[in-house]
């Protein structure tokens, strides 16, 4: 039996992982609260700022979390995978509700 980590890696995953490396390295070198701070600022802006600012903040937050989820996908188990997808979907649904409610 082969483990999931021994499966071939797609060329898309290889390209995105390689392109992401400098940004991940900068985040890793930054103070520990940088990523949670960015996440908090985007979430608060998404909830409390006017729609014109809030919706793009929520979309940026969903993109950030999606990017991080994509990069870590092979290393996580099913439970955390579900939570990552669920959180991104909740953020996107909230962005849609912000647009719908003006």
């Amino acid at each position: 039996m082969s483990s999931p980590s021994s499966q071939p890696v797609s060329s898309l995953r290889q390209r995105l992982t390689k392109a992401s490396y400098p940004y991940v390295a900068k985040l890793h070198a930054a103070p520990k609260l940088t990523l949670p701070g960015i996440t908090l600022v985007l979430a608060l802006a998404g909830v409390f700022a006017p729609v014109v600012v809030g919706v793009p903040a929520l979309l940026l937050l969903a993109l950030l979390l999606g990017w991080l989820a994509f990069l870590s996908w092979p290393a996580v188990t099913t439970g955390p995978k579900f939570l990552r997808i669920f959180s991104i979907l909740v953020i996107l649904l909230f962005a849609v509700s912000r647009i719908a409610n003006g």
Side-chain angles (χ1 to χ4, degrees), residues 36-66:
I38 292 169
T39 303
L40 181 63
V41 167
L42 289 173
L44 290 174
V47 172
F48 296 112
V51 174
V52 177
V53 174
V55 170
L58 290 170
L59 295 177
L60 279 173
L61 179 58
L63 281 171
L64 174 64
L65 295 178

Side-chain angles (χ1 to χ4, degrees), residues 13 16-17 19-25 27 35 60-73 88:
R13 174 168 295 286
L16 282 174
T17 301
S20 297
Y21 181 79
Y23 305 106
V24 172
L27 278 173
L35 186 57
L60 279 173
L61 179 58
L63 281 171
L64 174 64
L65 295 178
W67 173 62
L68 293 172
F70 178 83
L71 291 176
S72 65
W73 197 258
I88 293 166

Side-chain angles (χ1 to χ4, degrees), residues 55 58-59 62 85-101:
V55 170
L58 290 170
L59 295 177
I85 292 171
F86 181 74
S87 64
I88 293 166
L89 288 175
V90 167
I91 292 165
L92 292 173
L93 287 172
F94 189 71
V96 169
S97 78
R98 293 268 343 244
I99 294 169
N101 295 328

